[in-house]
Amino acid sequence: MSTSNQQDNVIKVPEGMRVNADGYFVPETSIREQDLLRDQIVMALVPEALSLSCDMAAYKAKALADISDLIEIAADRYGAKLGGKKGNVSLVSFDGRYKIQRTYREVVAFTEEIEAAKALIDSCLIRWSEGASDNIRAVVSQAFRKNRNGEISTGKVLDLMRMEIDDEEWSRAMNALKDALKSNGTAVYIRVYERIGTTDQYKPISLDIASL
C-alpha cells in the first residue's frame, strides 16, 4: 500500500474529540478524568515498549550475525567448509565471567489427529476405570490441558509417548500421537549468562520483561 493511501485511511479526529474502542467519536468533556489519566499513561508507555522490542530484535539479529561470523572465522582457520543446519554453540568470555549460547529448537505442532489420540486415550482410561493408576490419570489430564493461548503442551504430550503400557488400544493412541506431530521448522534463541561469583555456575541475564 502506498504512503498516500495509508494517509487517506488515517481517521481525522475533530478537535475536542476522542475515538473510543468501538471507533466512535466521544467529546473529551464527557470522558472521566480517570479514563483520560489511564489513556495518558498507556499512550506514554507503549511507544517505549515498542522501541525496546525493536532494540531487542536488533540485538538478536546482531548477536546471531556475530556468532555466525566467529564460527566462519574458526572454520576458515582450519580450511573447513560449513554446510547444512547450524548447531548449538556456547561462547565464554576470556575471564569466564560471561557466557552466550545460541540454541536451535524444533518447533512442533499438532494436526487434527491429536483428537483421535485423545479419544483413544480417554477410552483406555474408561476401560481401566478400576485399575488405572491415579498417576496415569494425572499425567493424561495435564498433557491435554490447554494453556491461555489454547495450545497443548508438546512436552507433556511427548511424556505420554514415553510411558510403557502393554495395551493394544493405548499403542494405537500412541501411533496417532506420532502421526499428529508436525514439524513447523526451527526456532533460534540467544541466551546470555553471568557467572555466579567464582563458582562454575551461571545465572541467566533476563531479556524477558515479565521476569524482571
Side-chain angles (χ1 to χ4, degrees):
M1 183 182 294
S2 67
T3 303
S4 60
N5 289 337
Q6 289 177 337
Q7 291 175 345
D8 291 340
N9 291 331
V10 174
I11 298 175
K12 296 179 181 179
V13 182
E15 186 176 350
M17 304 288 282
R18 293 286 188 96
V19 178
N20 67 11
D22 295 320
Y24 297 113
F25 292 137
V26 178
E28 285 189 352
T29 54
S30 68
I31 303 175
R32 293 191 315 148
E33 182 180 351
Q34 187 67 28
D35 292 340
L36 289 172
L37 181 60
R38 183 188 309 114
D39 180 74
Q40 179 183 344
I41 295 298
V42 171
M43 296 305 290
L45 291 175
V46 168
E48 295 181 20
L50 292 172
S51 177
L52 282 172
S53 178
C54 289
D55 288 345
M56 291 180 68
Y59 170 78
K60 180 179 180 181
K62 181 180 184 302
L64 290 174
D66 288 350
I67 291 171
S68 292
D69 287 346
L70 183 66
I71 293 172
E72 290 287 349
I73 291 170
D76 289 344
R77 196 180 302 278
Y78 294 98
K81 295 286 186 181
L82 299 179
K85 184 187 297 184
K86 296 180 174 65
N88 301 339
V89 293
S90 290
L91 312 177
V92 181
S93 62
F94 186 73
D95 62 3
R97 184 179 178 186
Y98 299 111
K99 177 172 64 174
I100 298 178
Q101 289 183 337
R102 183 191 71 183
T103 57
Y104 284 85
R105 181 178 66 84
E106 185 177 10
V107 179
V108 177
F110 295 105
T111 68
E112 72 283 354
E113 291 156 315
I114 190 72
E115 296 298 329
K118 186 176 184 302
L120 288 168
I121 292 172
D122 287 341
S123 176
C124 287
L125 291 178
I126 293 172
R127 184 162 45 82
W128 302 339
S129 56
E130 294 299 324
S133 163
D134 288 339
N135 290 334
I136 293 178
R137 290 181 180 277
V139 170
V140 171
S141 175
Q142 286 292 324
F144 289 98
R145 181 171 297 173
K146 295 182 179 180
N147 61 22
R148 66 181 65 183
N149 296 321
E151 299 169 339
I152 295 174
S153 168
T154 305
K156 290 178 180 178
V157 170
L158 292 178
D159 286 341
L160 291 180
M161 297 170 62
R162 298 187 184 98
M163 299 175 68
E164 295 185 5
I165 298 176
D166 186 13
D167 184 276
E168 188 272 336
E169 190 172 34
W170 179 267
S171 296
R172 283 192 285 125
M174 295 304 100
N175 287 332
L177 280 183
K178 292 177 184 177
D179 291 339
L181 288 172
K182 178 184 177 182
S183 175
N184 280 347
T186 57
V188 59
Y189 300 89
I190 292 292
R191 295 183 173 92
V192 186
Y193 300 86
E194 183 178 16
R195 191 170 66 183
I196 301 175
T198 58
T199 70
D200 60 353
Q201 301 297 310
Y202 286 82
K203 62 180 179 181
I205 296 174
S206 179
L207 300 175
D208 179 2
I209 193 171
S211 64
L212 295 175

